Amino acid sequence: MIKSKLELGKINGDIYVLIEKKDIKNVHLKVFRDLSVKLSVPNKVPDDWIISFLEKKKEWINKQIFKYKQSSGSNNMVYLKNGCSIQMLGKDFRIYIKSGKKKIVKEEKKLIIYLEDVSDLETATKIFDDWWKKESKILYEVKVKEFYNSIFKKYKINIPTIQIRKMKTMWGNCCPQKSLITLNNYLFKANTLGIEYVIMHEMAHLLYPKHNENFYSFMTIHMPDWKERKQILDLDVVQGV
C-alpha cells in the first residue's frame, strides 16, 4: 500500500489517501468515520489515472469528511458526552446522561444512561459499550438462527458462534474451520437489511470459503437483493463508491 497526498482546501486541509492495488475488477473509494480515506484499484491501473481520479473525487471526499466532522457520533470520541448522537439500527439517537442506578433506557429517539456520577464519562462510556455489545449480539444471534434453520441446516453444518470486535475495514469475517463468525462492533449502526446482508455473507462462507462463482450464486439465490443491501450499507454507515 502507498499513500497519496490530496489537498482538500481550507476547511479540511490536506489528507493522505491510502491506495491499495489488488486483484479486483472495480475501483472502490471509501471515507471512514475516523476520517481516513482508502482507494482500492485493480493491479494494472496506472498511477496517473489514480491521481486524476482522486482529483475528480475531491468534492465528494470533502463532503463526506465534513459530514463526519459535523456529526458527534460516539465512535469518533474517547468518551461519550451528554447530548451526543449515535447511529443505531439505521436511526439517529441522542444520548442523555442522568443521575440514577446504572442502566440504559431506550426510548423512541433517545438513549438515557443512568449512573450515580453524571460527570463520570468514562463509566458512562463503559456502560454504553457493554450495553451496545449485548444488544447487538442478541440481534445477530436471532438472525443467525433464522438463516440457519431456513437455509443452512440442511447442509449438515454446525450453527456458527458469533463474536464481536472493532474492525476498521471489514463488516465481518468467517472462519469455517472453527464455525466462527466475527462481526464489526459498529455493524449495529446499520439498518436490519444491511445487518442481514453481512450475516448471510459470512454464513455463506461456511459453505464457500472463497468469493467465487458458487459463492455469489448462493448469495443471489437466497438473498436476491444482496447487492442493493450492500450499497445501502456502504452509503449509510461507511461512505463509499
Side-chain angles (χ1 to χ4, degrees), residues 85-126:
S85 64
I86 185 72
Q87 187 180 10
M88 182 176 69
L89 294 175
K91 298 179 180 179
D92 290 326
F93 287 80
R94 187 73 63 179
I95 291 178
Y96 296 96
I97 302 174
K98 296 185 178 181
S99 178
K101 187 177 180 180
K102 289 182 183 180
K103 64 178 179 178
I104 290 184
V105 176
K106 177 177 173 290
E107 297 184 357
E108 185 177 354
K109 293 184 179 181
K110 296 190 292 185
L111 289 174
I112 305 173
I113 302 175
Y114 290 94
L115 72 163
E116 294 179 1
D117 181 2
V118 295
S119 66
D120 187 355
L121 299 183
E122 183 176 359
T123 298
T125 301
K126 185 180 185 308

Side-chain angles (χ1 to χ4, degrees), residues 20 33 67 90 95 97 133 137 186 188 195 222 241:
E20 181 181 23
R33 286 186 176 267
K67 174 184 175 181
I95 291 178
I97 302 174
K133 189 172 183 179
K137 192 171 185 180
Y186 296 130
F188 202 45
I195 291 171
H222 295 287
V241 294

